[in-house]
Amino acid sequence: MSLLDNQIIFQPIIETASRAEIRAIQLAKLIRQVNWTYARVPWYRQKMDEMGVTPDDIRTLEDVRKLPFTDKQVLRETFPYGLFAVPLTEVVELHSSSGTTGKPVVVGYNQHDMDVWSECIARLACMAGVVPGDRAQMAFGYGMFTGGFGLHYGLQKLGCMVIPAGSGNTERHLQMMEDYGTTVLIATPSYAMHICEVGEKLGFDWEKSQLRVGLFGGEPCPPGLKQEIENRMHIVCTDNYGLTEVMGPGVSGECLAERDMQHIAEDHFLWEVVDPETGEPVPEGEQGELVLTPLDKQAIPVLRYRTHDLTYVVTEKCACGRTHARMKKVRSRSDDMLIIRGTNVFPSQVEDVLAGIEGLTTHYRIQVDNETGLDRMTVLVELKPEAFSDSYAEMNQFKHHIEDKLKQTLLVGVGVKLVEPGGIERSFGKTKHVQDDRVMR
């Protein structure tokens, strides 16, 4: 490791390579990966044969567009081992998604995959300011979810002490922070905020705490929530990005130089940004759907995985010294869009409006129904203690103020329900912001 521009970089030769060097690495790995996948996974071989494509047709990075897309449905249709490219005797770890909307997505790792995964996590931890010798407390669950184990292995590779506290039992988390001198917290941003609130109620002095870094993942972290956590807990918070289907966490991470972008581990992932409707590429810097091809995945290789996450990517060198492309933090997905009376609404739009209104916490819920025959959307917002009033007139005026602000941005009328401080349930894992109860008619 070396120090560049006062920022520790885990693998400086790779992370500061020229664009030409990065593309050369990607092309060599793409060719190898397509050959590996075609030879070992019947589903891909059949799809490529149907499309008239062979591994020999992949000569440039742009040729990746000749390959078939993959989506979550493919992994469900081939459940559990239909896309595996190695014997199960070589698989050292198995993970899966929750499967709440159907069969779970199952992924496996051989030892090579585990080494790559750990390397990617160690990189993003360095970007966030984590250093060898840090004491990292894990507030992710350790089940089939990739987040807990992924961060665990990568932080150990970096040289950190990992405290495997797991999710839940917030008071115990606070006690462990105090007892063990925790310096890094790994959590979803919503649970980190909950730890902060509980700590304040119990008299925990965040300013005197040894905690200094928050590594967040598992759900989007709106700028307002991040700023509030940093101000109240006196730490630096960064996000990282990944998804089970292509590896887990470690696809990209946020450096300390530019707080709203995330460096993609380009030597391990080939990225595309496409129009969600047509699948065609969009120009650099223009928002579209992120498509990822892992370049070092052996146990279950995936070609052109459609994430449904909306972002844009830029390739100019970052102020931190890293040259790997940066993606805008994902705030919305092409498949989480709500259509309310013919108008497209994203939860991230609601977040942004609420963040600009004094007197509200970062906690909210969106409820949608059509009981009256028309789509009806209600936003539950939580008041800060200082904004709460016994005056019905004042509260009603505040409610209408929020409704007006939302309508100006969303271009459709929505209702608002004020909730008392602490009235919106906190989550230990991913926070579900939308409850869609519409009945098909």
Side-chain angles (χ1 to χ4, degrees):
M1 284 184 282
S2 69
L3 198 64
L4 182 63
D5 295 334
N6 299 317
Q7 167 81 60
I8 291 179
I9 297 181
F10 185 66
Q11 294 171 314
I13 294 177
I14 296 173
E15 294 182 71
T16 63
S18 69
R19 293 305 307 167
E21 290 170 329
I22 291 170
R23 288 178 63 83
I25 292 171
Q26 288 180 320
L27 180 57
K29 287 189 174 184
L30 176 63
I31 292 171
R32 183 185 68 191
Q33 191 73 0
V34 172
N35 275 279
W36 174 276
T37 305
Y38 185 86
R40 293 168 174 255
V41 184
W43 188 91
Y44 280 112
R45 184 164 57 251
Q46 179 183 339
K47 285 293 180 183
M48 290 174 63
D49 287 347
E50 290 173 357
M51 298 169 68
V53 179
T54 71
D56 290 339
D57 293 321
I58 308 303
R59 300 185 180 93
T60 71
L61 289 179
E62 288 68 29
D63 287 337
V64 72
R65 298 171 196 161
K66 299 177 180 178
L67 300 171
F69 283 118
T70 311
D71 60 19
K72 194 183 295 284
Q73 188 58 33
V74 173
L75 281 86
R76 286 177 174 151
E77 290 173 355
T78 56
F79 174 89
Y81 303 129
L83 291 186
F84 278 48
V86 299
L88 294 183
T89 52
E90 294 181 19
V91 176
V92 298
E93 192 154 317
L94 200 73
H95 285 279
S96 75
S97 66
S98 61
T100 54
T101 57
K103 283 186 179 293
V105 168
V106 174
V107 295
Y109 305 76
N110 63 7
Q111 190 56 55
H112 167 85
D113 298 336
M114 297 299 291
D115 293 341
V116 170
W117 195 12
S118 299
E119 176 185 298
C120 290
I121 296 293
R123 281 191 203 173
L124 71 82
C126 271
M127 292 184 207
V130 181
V131 296
D134 266 324
R135 296 182 287 279
Q137 187 162 319
M138 181 67 66
F140 281 156
Y142 273 97
M144 298 300 281
F145 168 57
T146 56
F149 283 103
L151 272 295
H152 185 119
Y153 300 139
L155 288 163
Q156 284 187 332
K157 185 177 183 70
L158 180 58
C160 299
M161 173 201 294
V162 178
I163 304 168
S167 61
N169 202 336
T170 304
E171 292 189 19
R172 179 169 170 265
H173 269 290
L174 291 162
Q175 188 62 56
M176 293 172 78
M177 288 180 186
E178 188 170 343
D179 290 343
Y180 304 143
T182 302
T183 57
V184 179
L185 173 66
I186 302 97
T188 62
S190 54
Y191 187 54
M193 187 73 251
H194 180 61
I195 292 175
C196 175
E197 293 172 335
V198 172
E200 289 171 344
K201 290 177 182 177
L202 296 176
F204 192 91
D205 192 336
W206 289 110
E207 191 168 6
K208 293 182 179 178
S209 166
Q210 294 187 58
L211 191 70
R212 65 171 219 287
V213 176
L215 279 178
F216 294 158
E219 64 185 16
C221 183
L225 176 58
K226 174 183 283 190
Q227 184 176 1
E228 184 170 1
I229 293 173
E230 290 187 332
N231 291 342
R232 291 168 67 173
M233 297 181 78
H234 300 277
I235 62 176
V236 173
C237 305
T238 66
D239 299 331
N240 57 79
Y241 172 82
L243 55 163
T244 300
E245 296 84 348
V246 302
M247 186 175 68
V251 173
S252 65
E254 176 188 355
C255 72
L256 299 179
E258 188 172 347
R259 305 296 307 284
D260 203 34
M261 302 289 282
Q262 296 174 323
H263 289 275
I264 302 171
E266 286 195 276
D267 54 321
H268 295 304
F269 298 94
L270 181 63
W271 57 269
E272 303 170 70
V273 180
V274 304
D275 183 308
E277 299 295 329
T278 66
E280 292 299 313
V282 301
E284 180 175 329
E286 184 175 313
Q287 179 168 282
E289 178 185 349
L290 181 67
V291 175
L292 293 170
T293 299
L295 298 173
D296 270 309
K297 210 160 187 255
Q298 293 185 352
I300 179 169
V302 178
L303 303 178
R304 302 194 78 197
Y305 186 78
R306 297 194 66 157
T307 69
H308 296 295
D309 291 325
L310 299 178
T311 186
Y312 63 82
V313 176
V314 296
T315 57
E316 71 261 28
K317 183 178 178 180
C318 180
C320 73
R322 294 177 178 84
T323 52
H324 285 209
R326 288 166 290 156
M327 57 180 277
K328 176 77 171 178
K329 289 183 192 176
V330 173
R331 295 285 309 283
S332 57
R333 295 171 51 83
S334 60
D335 58 358
D336 74 356
M337 181 180 71
L338 296 166
I339 301 178
I340 308 297
R341 299 192 294 280
T343 301
N344 298 341
V345 174
F346 287 97
S348 57
Q349 293 176 293
V350 175
E351 282 181 356
D352 290 341
V353 172
L354 300 182
I357 298 175
E358 289 292 330
L360 300 180
T361 72
T362 55
H363 304 287
Y364 73 96
R365 294 289 185 274
I366 297 172
Q367 296 178 343
V368 184
D369 65 57
N370 56 1
E371 292 178 0
T372 63
L374 293 174
D375 291 339
R376 179 173 59 183
M377 175 173 157
T378 304
V379 182
L380 281 64
V381 299
E382 184 179 284
L383 299 170
K384 291 181 177 179
E386 61 269 23
F388 187 78
S389 171
D390 291 332
S391 168
Y392 172 80
E394 288 183 10
M395 290 290 91
N396 198 45
Q397 183 180 9
F398 190 33
K399 170 181 174 295
H400 288 309
H401 170 68
I402 300 170
E403 289 174 339
D404 289 342
K405 289 290 188 182
L406 287 168
K407 187 173 183 179
Q408 290 173 20
T409 296
L410 305 181
L411 304 179
V412 65
V414 301
V416 166
K417 181 179 179 181
L418 304 181
V419 180
E420 69 277 4
I424 292 182
E425 184 180 0
R426 290 1 180 200
S427 172
F428 295 143
K430 295 184 180 182
T431 299
K432 184 178 180 181
H433 287 296
V434 179
Q435 180 180 332
D436 194 338
D437 295 326
R438 283 178 287 190
V439 178
M440 299 297 293
R441 298 179 186 276

